[in-house]
RNA sequence: GCACCCGUAGCUCAGCUGGAUAGAGCGUUGGCUUGCGGAGCCAAAGGUCGUAGGUUCGAAUCCUGUCGGGUGUACCA
């Protein structure tokens, strides 16, 4: 419908003025109609004519179109278009055909969350997981085959620190003692060990040296794939505990990763590639390290292999890109990370571009800010005084209990997800647990309730025809229908921008529009019950579709 | 120092590939109320879009300067 209109206008402009225009129909203020275009203003400049005259001519040319109720010229030369009720109803599109979506048949590797084994999941991981899942849903709806992957450091200094404290706690390298650790306490215990190891590393030189030595042994264990020594047994067991803990957490928030890429796997690939490209001059030796000089590209220099011959994160990321390519031959890969590594990532990608330009061309780096609590608590995982993912879940569950008197998991998760997703991705976000569970205002629970309420209306109806013709609408009915028709365009924009918050904004507006309608119009028992039930049904389905895209449950009842 | 990001109502945010009077929630003030789930609806107050220029018929949106805040800047991740 929209396309038909666009073609008609483009044709009119061409017939009248012999010019091709780049046309985009926008959604104007409701008072102006269903669609609007500013082509006349663009043409006015090119033709050096009064834009209003051009607009008048085009509007007149369009009057014959059957799908149009009217076309009017307003302001400096906007052409405002109002569809017939029938045509408007025809534009409703709640579910899309994924076979014809923008990502049809494309393979997309989506990397997000990226926690480190041997460390705890913090609020940022929760945010990123929720955001990543929403993006995944958008891509799937657009036709993509999405591969959710996760990257993390199973070797490195943080592992050395945690392992050092683990060995201390066990009273030596005694893997048999791990068997006595109850499952429920494992992740908590490891988190404590990380804090203990970090503090020892900073405060005591002897401990620091022990940690460094231990770390070297762990590198060796991993690169040899050695599973027999006591230390190796402890390492592999605890590493698995970490992954178990991640899986369990992801399941609880509704995500599942199909693959973990441990650094130990990507590091060798990275080193190999960097060394090979060192020969070809992409990378250079400098002070005993292997670096990529970013300055010619307006970037900075970074170390890929340090002077001890060990890979840094940079080399591991090179390896990761190659590993993802090896495994998926993706059409596109999207990496979601915090915004503190924007410049870092530019350097890494620029270096890869020198020898695998196609992979970089298919890569998108999306970044987000920190999660901050209202009032401001800074998060640093070094000392352990930071906001963990479970802390957020607990706070919201508690706030929800206070507000509603119960702990409904759908509501708690819906509140958190919506609170995170409703803000544009990029800057830091300020999270307020109380506001997130608020039953009024722009919140997840509000929308869940709005949906349940609409469903209850439908359940109460004796029968409702899903095919009821929507014509001769009242002003209120039409206004609601008009809002519903915007849904598919909003989803498209959210997908193109990789910004789910557009959907949040829309869903809230939609719910408000419905409440306005519902306040003044009886549904059941009214002369127009058939049409109105159809509208309520479309509204509820749209709300549900949107919430599900965001990863938020839309229960029939609350 | 250099690079990148952010600065919109008291608070939290939309709006940013330029377009018609700058929108919403919370909070504040007032109204609706035996309702098809009122977790709602209506209304009011509240903004030099950090600031100064520039481009344009038109700038919160693009460009430049400037102020304020944040992040990054060689062997951490």
């Amino acid at each position: 419908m929209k396309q038909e209109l666009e073609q008609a206008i483009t044709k009119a402009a061409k017939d009248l003025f012999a010019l091709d225009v780049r046309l985009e129909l926008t959604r104007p203020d409701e008072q102006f109609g269903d669609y609007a275009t500013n082509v006349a203003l663009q043409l006015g400049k090119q033709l050096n004519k009064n834009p209003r005259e051009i607009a008048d001519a085009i509007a007149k040319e369009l009057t014959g179109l059957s799908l149009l109720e009217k076309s009017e010229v307003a302001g400096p030369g906007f052409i405002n278009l109002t569809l017939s009720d029938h045509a408007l109803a025809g534009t409703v599109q709640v579910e899309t055909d994924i076979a014809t979506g923008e990502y049809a048949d494309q393979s997309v590797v989506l990397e997000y969350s990226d926690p480190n084994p041997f460390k705890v999941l913090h609020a940022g991981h929760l945010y990123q997981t929720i955001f990543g899942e929403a993006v995944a849903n958008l891509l799937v709806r657009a036709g993509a085959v999405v591969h959710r992957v996760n990257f993390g450091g199973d070797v490195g200094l943080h592992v050395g620190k945690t392992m050092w404290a683990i060995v201390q706690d066990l009273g030596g390298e005694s893997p048999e003692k791990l068997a006595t650790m109850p499952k429920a306490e494992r992740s908590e215990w490891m988190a404590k060990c990380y804090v203990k190891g970090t503090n020892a590393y900073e405060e005591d030189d002897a401990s620091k040296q022990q940690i460094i030595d231990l770390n070297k042994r762990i590198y060796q264990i991993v690169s040899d794939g050695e599973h027999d020594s006591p230390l190796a047994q402890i390492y592999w067991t605890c590493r698995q505990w970490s992954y178990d803990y991640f899986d369990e957490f992801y399941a609880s928030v509704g995500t599942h990763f199909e693959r973990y890429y441990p650094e130990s796997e990507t590091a060798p690939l990275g080193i190999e590639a960097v060394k090979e490209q060192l020969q070809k001059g992409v990378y250079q030796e400098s002070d005993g390290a292997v670096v990529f000089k970013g300055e010619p590209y307006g970037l900075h220099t970074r170390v890929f292999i340090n002077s001890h011959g060990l890979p840094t994160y940079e080399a591991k990321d090179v390896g990761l890109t190659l590993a993802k390519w090896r495994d998926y031959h993706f059409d596109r890969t999207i990496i979601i990370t915090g915004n503190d590594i924007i410049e870092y990532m530019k350097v890494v990608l620029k270096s890869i571009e020198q020898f695998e330009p196609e992979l970089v061309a298919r890569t998108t780096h999306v970044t987000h800010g920190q999660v901050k609590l209202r009032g401001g608590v800074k998060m640093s995982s070094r000392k352990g005084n930071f906001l963990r993912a479970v802390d957020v879940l607990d706070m919201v569950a508690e706030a929800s209990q206070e507000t509603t008197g119960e702990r409904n998991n759908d509501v708690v998760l819906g509140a958190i997800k919506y609170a995170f997703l409703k803000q544009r991705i990029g800057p830091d976000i300020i999270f307020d647990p109380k506001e997130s569970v608020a039953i009024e205002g722009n919140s997840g629970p509000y929308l869940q309730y709005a949906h349940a309420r609409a469903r209850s209306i439908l359940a109460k109806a004796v029968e409702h025809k899903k095919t009821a013709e929507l014509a001769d609408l009242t002003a209120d009915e039409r206004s609601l229908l008009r809002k519903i028709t915007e849904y598919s365009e909003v989803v498209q924009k959210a997908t193109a921008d990789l910004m789910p918050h557009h959907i949040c904004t829309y869903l809230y507006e939609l719910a408000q529009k419905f409440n306005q309608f519902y306040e003044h119009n009886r549904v059941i028992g009214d002369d127009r019950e058939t049409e109105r039930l159809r509208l309520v049904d479309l509204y509820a389905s749209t709300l549900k579709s949107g919430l599900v895209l965001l990863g938020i449950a839309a229960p029939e009842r609350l």
Side-chain angles (χ1 to χ4, degrees):
Chain A
M1 208 69 72
K2 192 180 168 192
Q3 281 179 352
E4 263 176 72
L5 261 183
E6 284 173 346
Q7 281 165 12
I9 296 168
T10 311
K11 184 171 180 301
K14 189 156 194 174
D15 290 351
L16 289 166
F17 307 105
L19 276 177
D20 284 314
V21 288
R22 197 177 59 87
L23 177 96
E24 211 173 324
L25 283 177
T26 56
R27 289 280 189 167
D29 229 49
E30 191 171 358
Q31 55 175 316
F32 297 125
D34 299 322
Y35 290 103
T37 172
N38 64 356
V39 273
L41 292 152
Q42 292 175 35
L43 285 171
K45 192 167 190 179
Q46 290 180 47
L47 297 166
N48 199 21
K49 284 174 87 169
N50 183 346
R52 279 204 69 116
E53 283 172 28
I54 297 169
D56 279 330
I58 294 176
K60 202 176 161 198
E61 192 81 4
L62 296 174
T63 45
L65 282 179
S66 63
L67 69 170
L68 275 186
E69 171 86 26
K70 60 180 175 184
S71 57
E72 292 177 322
V73 177
F78 294 103
I79 302 170
N80 293 326
L81 305 165
T82 304
L83 298 178
S84 69
D85 288 356
H86 180 77
L88 183 66
T91 66
V92 174
Q93 196 181 15
V94 179
E95 299 304 330
T96 49
D97 178 7
I98 61 173
T100 60
E102 309 92 291
Y103 281 86
D105 298 325
Q106 290 207 20
S107 155
V108 179
V109 174
L110 186 63
E111 178 201 335
Y112 59 102
S113 199
D114 289 352
N116 283 326
F118 295 88
K119 288 176 78 172
V120 74
L121 290 161
H122 54 69
H125 290 121
L126 177 61
Y127 177 33
Q128 201 174 106
T129 302
I130 288 167
F131 176 79
E133 188 62 21
V135 169
N137 291 338
L138 286 173
L139 295 171
V140 167
R141 185 185 157 112
V145 176
V146 175
H147 304 283
R148 295 164 172 82
V149 304
N150 201 320
F151 177 53
D154 62 333
V155 288
L157 195 56
H158 64 282
V159 179
K161 289 171 179 171
T162 307
M163 282 291 289
W164 177 85
I166 284 174
V167 170
Q168 284 237 320
D169 239 39
L170 295 175
E173 295 176 15
S174 316
E176 66 282 357
K177 289 190 182 165
L178 289 172
T180 62
M181 174 76 56
K183 205 173 178 188
E185 291 171 23
R186 290 170 183 172
S187 61
E188 190 102 349
W189 174 63
M190 286 176 65
K192 278 187 190 142
C193 285
Y194 173 70
V195 174
K196 190 175 164 190
T198 301
N199 289 337
Y201 185 86
E202 283 175 15
E203 287 155 18
D204 180 52
D205 284 346
S207 302
K208 179 175 176 175
Q209 195 52 52
Q210 287 172 12
I211 289 170
I212 291 171
D213 292 342
L214 186 69
N215 197 33
K216 279 186 188 158
R217 288 175 62 199
I218 294 167
Y219 261 107
Q220 201 57 51
I221 285 169
V222 174
S223 67
D224 292 349
E226 191 257 296
H227 284 71
D228 301 327
S229 69
L231 185 65
Q233 288 180 41
I234 296 174
Y235 170 81
W236 294 110
T237 301
C238 289
R239 193 186 98 144
Q240 191 53 47
W241 285 3
S242 261
Y243 283 125
D244 291 345
Y245 152 65
F246 294 158
D247 280 342
E248 197 181 329
F249 177 80
Y250 290 137
S252 76
V253 298
T255 296
H256 177 73
F257 287 91
E258 76 178 52
R259 202 178 193 309
Y260 285 98
Y261 283 102
E263 279 176 24
S264 61
E265 183 186 333
T266 69
L269 286 171
I271 290 186
E272 191 189 346
V274 170
K275 282 185 174 164
E276 188 187 330
Q277 296 305 320
L278 174 64
Q279 304 303 317
K280 299 186 179 170
V282 171
Y283 299 98
Q284 269 118 50
E285 279 193 63
S286 173
D287 294 340
V290 179
V291 305
F292 177 78
K293 290 195 186 294
E295 284 74 9
Y297 310 96
L299 303 169
H300 62 275
T301 295
R302 296 199 70 98
V303 173
F304 283 65
I305 299 175
N306 70 23
S307 48
H308 302 295
L310 292 175
T312 60
Y313 227 85
E314 286 81 341
K316 294 167 186 171
D317 250 326
V318 171
L320 176 62
T321 301
L322 298 174
K324 286 193 282 198
W325 178 251
R326 173 198 68 198
D327 296 338
Y328 296 106
H329 276 79
F330 50 80
D331 293 295
R332 192 162 173 196
T333 180
I334 298 167
I335 305 168
I336 303 169
T337 76
N339 57 20
D340 50 338
I341 64 164
I342 288 177
E343 296 298 300
Y344 157 88
M345 191 62 84
K346 281 185 192 166
V347 177
V348 171
L349 290 176
K350 184 55 79 177
S351 84
I352 299 173
E353 193 181 293
Q354 309 308 309
F355 57 97
E356 286 284 7
E358 187 56 31
L359 303 202
V360 176
R362 297 180 185 201
T363 301
T364 306
H365 185 205
V366 176
T367 64
H368 61 82
Q370 283 185 22
V371 177
K372 292 177 173 168
L373 268 191
R374 184 166 219 149
V377 177
K378 269 225 161 183
M379 299 194 307
S380 146
S381 62
R382 293 185 327 115
K383 295 277 182 177
N385 56 341
F386 61 95
L387 197 59
R388 297 173 304 166
V390 283
D391 296 334
V392 175
L393 290 166
D394 288 347
M395 279 189 298
V396 174
E398 214 165 286
S400 176
Q401 174 126 37
E402 270 176 40
T403 325
T404 62
E406 58 176 331
R407 284 183 179 231
N408 180 327
N409 198 41
D410 283 344
V411 173
V412 170
L413 282 178
I416 296 173
K417 290 180 179 181
Y418 191 82
F420 282 167
L421 291 173
K422 74 175 178 180
Q423 289 186 51
R424 188 188 176 95
I425 194 75
D428 292 351
I429 65 166
I430 295 183
F431 179 68
D432 184 343
K434 273 202 187 107
E435 197 179 294
S436 77
V437 297
I439 49 196
E440 72 280 329
N442 190 359
S443 75
Y446 170 92
L447 292 175
Q448 286 175 322
Y449 176 78
H451 173 258
R453 190 186 181 200
R455 289 291 180 207
S456 86
I457 298 166
L458 295 171
K460 195 157 283 185
V462 180
E463 62 161 351
H464 81 269
K465 296 178 192 152
K466 298 221 170 205
T467 53
E469 169 80 1
L470 293 172
D472 298 322
L473 300 174
T474 66
D476 281 359
E477 288 166 359
R478 195 180 195 290
S479 181
L480 175 59
L481 177 63
R482 180 184 183 277
K483 196 72 199 175
I484 292 170
T485 64
E486 286 176 28
Y487 178 62
S488 60
E489 290 162 36
V490 170
V491 172
Q492 234 170 40
K493 183 172 169 57
T495 308
D497 295 351
L498 299 177
M499 288 184 177
H501 81 281
H502 286 130
I503 294 173
C504 297
T505 307
Y506 167 78
L507 290 180
Y508 186 62
E509 287 169 4
L510 175 67
Q512 280 184 313
K513 185 61 87 181
F514 177 78
N515 282 331
Q516 283 163 24
F517 167 83
Y518 194 57
E519 187 74 14
H520 307 294
N521 298 277
R522 175 156 279 276
V523 174
I524 291 173
D526 191 89
D527 285 349
R528 295 185 58 75
E529 175 174 322
T530 312
E531 290 87 349
R532 289 183 178 173
L533 283 173
R534 174 90 183 106
L535 274 176
V536 174
D537 185 35
L538 284 174
Y539 159 70
S541 304
T542 304
L543 255 188
K544 178 166 187 171
S545 168
L547 286 171
V548 168
L549 270 181
L550 297 171
I552 296 172
E556 300 285 305
R557 276 192 208 104
L558 279 179

